[in-house]
Amino acid sequence: MSGAACSAARAEIPERSPSAPPRRLVAALLAAAALGCSSTREHVAPPTPEVGAAPAAAAPPSRPAEAAAPEPAAPRLPEAPPARPPELDLLRPEDGPYAHFFAALRALEQGRRKDHVRIAWLGDSHAAADFWSGAVRAALQRRFGDGGIGFVHLGYAAYRHDGARLTADGKWRTRPKTPGGSAPIDDGVFGLGGILFSAHKGPARAEITVAGAGPSTRLLWDVCFRSSAPTDELAVTIEGGPSEILRGAAGDAPGALQHARLASVGATKLGVVPSGEPELCGLVVETDPEVKPGVVLDTLGINGARLATALRWNELAWAAELARRSPELVVLEYGTNEAGDVTTDPSLYAKQLAELLARTRRVEPDADCLVLAPTDRKDAAERTPVVRDVLRDAAREGGCAFWDTYEAMGGRGSIETWYRERPPRASRDGVHLTFRGYRELGVKLSNDILERYRP
């Protein structure tokens, strides 16, 4: 079997952890075994020294990837069904499309859940700046506990996240070159966030400083990277914590996504320096759920993105990354760019939404979904409500909650009204909002969710 086929099959196998649903893991292992492929491999960092221990050596050690688990001789279906998750006892049919998500929040609030409650927010430029989604994250974490900042991009100069300060020194390039495009490109393996970043012509360094973490906070860092040659290296340094030089696992097909997991106590800054041409496919930062679980919201917005953008990604590879996150709620925030595509039949968006939901449910069948309507758009006054209606009907057909962003803004002409205010809530381009406008939408959305929630 070809290395590419094995790489795709192994991409389906989720991280081996107590929180990984056994049925998903077994099914993925069986599929890989049927192709004669090995299981995934990933870097696992050594234990972090306790606070007050000697600092890490200045020169980070170099080592290849280690196997996450021994090779299964012959994957078998479990002889007994897995233990019933405590959340299932808290399901309430009256919660409708939020039933599983609310049950997870109840388990968290009652101290019955031992893992974070995760949300994956896919969308366009409205999400990319993390103002709107950041307000939702903040509200839920205030109520249910702070599980960390979640997914962030590294090496992205024009990028921000509410919970971190990010820098990208040197020249970096992206793949795909146009991340928000819709046409298939390359092999479609771009990580959870849909964009890869690599150094271009000279030395480069990317760095993140996490805000709000205390001196005793234990943080878990999950670095995603992709190497294409044995000489590719990625030096990862956590200030006051562990340091590593990462390489692709021996025997893995070139281009396979790799993950390095590191932990630190009291450290808030991580830096990466690439050597060769490794590509960064994102970083996840969480607090340790074994200490105290909370809410984590992954912002996965891309400038210019449409529903078709996520559909051009390699389904198996992206599904494996989503399975690692195991979200309880998936938010789909699209439609504003679709409203500007005046030559496209809006009925196409219903089919695209259904397919994106199907891809999600093939790996996370119990995850709830929330579809957001597009914002008002000045140059698409007639088309925006049409796109809104298509997405609303498709959300209902798919069993998702729907939140009418268009109506929350005030309907037709509201974006012009918001722009003329002082200070304005909308930008002069007639498409985007200001910080104030996005924050208002985030407060309205989080208030609506919390009003529906009953402990």
Side-chain angles (χ1 to χ4, degrees):
M1 181 58 61
S2 70
C6 281
S7 180
R10 288 181 303 191
E12 283 196 289
I13 303 173
E15 177 183 353
R16 293 169 172 80
S17 70
S19 62
R23 65 181 182 278
R24 188 177 72 226
L25 175 59
V26 171
L29 285 171
L30 285 171
L35 293 173
C37 307
S38 63
S39 61
T40 52
R41 300 172 184 271
E42 60 183 276
H43 298 271
V44 181
T48 306
E50 297 295 328
V51 177
S62 174
R63 59 176 175 79
E66 299 171 358
E71 289 285 337
R76 298 181 301 170
L77 291 173
E79 297 179 359
R84 178 181 175 89
E87 291 89 329
L88 292 183
D89 296 327
L90 301 173
L91 281 172
R92 298 179 183 176
E94 62 268 25
D95 289 332
Y98 287 123
H100 282 88
F101 176 54
F102 284 173
L105 291 178
R106 288 189 192 101
L108 188 63
E109 199 167 33
Q110 295 176 13
R112 303 173 61 181
R113 184 180 172 97
K114 305 305 179 184
D115 195 11
H116 296 312
V117 174
R118 298 180 179 87
I119 303 168
W121 182 312
L122 286 81
D124 50 31
S125 56
H126 291 322
D130 198 35
F131 294 130
W132 184 0
S133 51
V136 175
R137 181 191 299 109
L140 294 178
Q141 289 184 341
R142 280 195 301 269
R143 173 67 182 272
F144 301 102
D146 187 346
I149 65 175
F151 178 91
V152 293
H153 287 294
L154 292 176
Y156 198 172
Y159 175 73
R160 75 169 298 280
H161 188 286
D162 243 16
R165 180 172 60 84
L166 297 114
T167 59
D169 298 325
K171 294 184 178 180
W172 294 82
R173 59 184 171 191
T174 65
R175 191 161 68 88
K177 189 174 182 180
T178 306
S182 302
I185 185 170
D186 299 334
D187 60 4
V189 179
F190 306 122
L192 180 66
I195 315 176
L196 301 175
F197 297 90
S198 59
H200 181 56
K201 293 182 179 179
R205 176 182 175 85
E207 190 173 270
I208 175 174
T209 302
V210 178
S216 61
T217 302
R218 178 176 167 84
L219 290 180
L220 306 180
W221 313 75
D222 186 336
V223 182
C224 178
F225 66 102
R226 188 179 187 190
S227 58
S228 58
T231 54
D232 290 342
E233 293 182 349
L234 190 66
V236 181
T237 303
I238 297 178
E239 190 174 87
S243 299
E244 293 275 331
I245 292 182
L246 309 176
R247 297 191 182 95
D252 267 333
L257 297 183
Q258 303 287 324
H259 284 265
R261 294 175 294 167
L262 301 95
S264 64
V265 176
T268 60
K269 183 182 292 186
L270 177 144
V272 295
V273 176
S275 176
E277 297 185 355
E279 296 175 298
L280 294 169
C281 40
L283 168 72
V284 170
V285 187
E286 294 185 341
T287 61
D288 188 345
E290 294 186 3
V291 176
K292 183 174 177 56
V295 172
V296 181
L297 191 154
D298 293 339
T299 305
L300 307 170
I302 297 177
N303 292 334
R306 294 159 172 78
L307 285 161
T309 301
L311 294 177
R312 77 171 178 172
W313 303 334
N314 179 287
E315 180 180 355
L316 295 181
W318 183 75
E321 295 300 296
L322 185 68
R324 290 179 66 89
R325 303 301 297 134
S326 193
E328 300 290 348
L329 177 68
V330 176
V331 180
L332 301 178
E333 178 269 301
Y334 295 101
T336 300
N337 290 316
E338 283 86 346
D341 296 338
V342 296
T343 61
T344 303
D345 183 350
S347 65
L348 174 64
Y349 307 139
K351 298 176 182 177
Q352 291 175 338
L353 181 65
E355 174 56 26
L356 188 51
L357 286 173
R359 291 189 178 194
T360 300
R361 286 170 172 158
R362 279 193 276 271
V363 288
E364 294 295 337
D366 294 332
D368 289 329
C369 47
L370 167 62
V371 176
L372 305 181
T375 56
D376 184 37
R377 179 167 172 158
K378 184 178 180 180
D379 61 357
E382 298 288 343
R383 187 174 165 88
T384 298
V386 174
V387 173
R388 183 271 311 268
D389 292 348
V390 168
L391 294 180
R392 178 197 60 207
D393 295 345
R396 291 173 179 169
E397 182 70 21
C400 299
F402 177 77
W403 196 73
D404 198 339
T405 315
Y406 180 73
E407 188 64 29
M409 287 183 64
R412 182 169 178 170
S414 57
I415 196 163
E416 180 67 13
T417 301
W418 282 29
Y419 169 63
R420 295 187 181 280
E421 294 174 349
R422 291 295 176 266
R425 286 183 287 169
S427 301
R428 65 184 301 172
D429 64 6
V431 177
H432 298 91
L433 309 183
T434 62
F435 170 86
R436 179 168 171 252
Y438 283 125
R439 280 292 195 255
E440 181 173 314
L441 287 183
V443 170
K444 286 183 176 181
L445 175 56
S446 57
N447 284 345
D448 182 75
I449 292 173
L450 290 173
E451 285 172 5
R452 294 172 184 268
Y453 171 78
R454 295 292 181 268

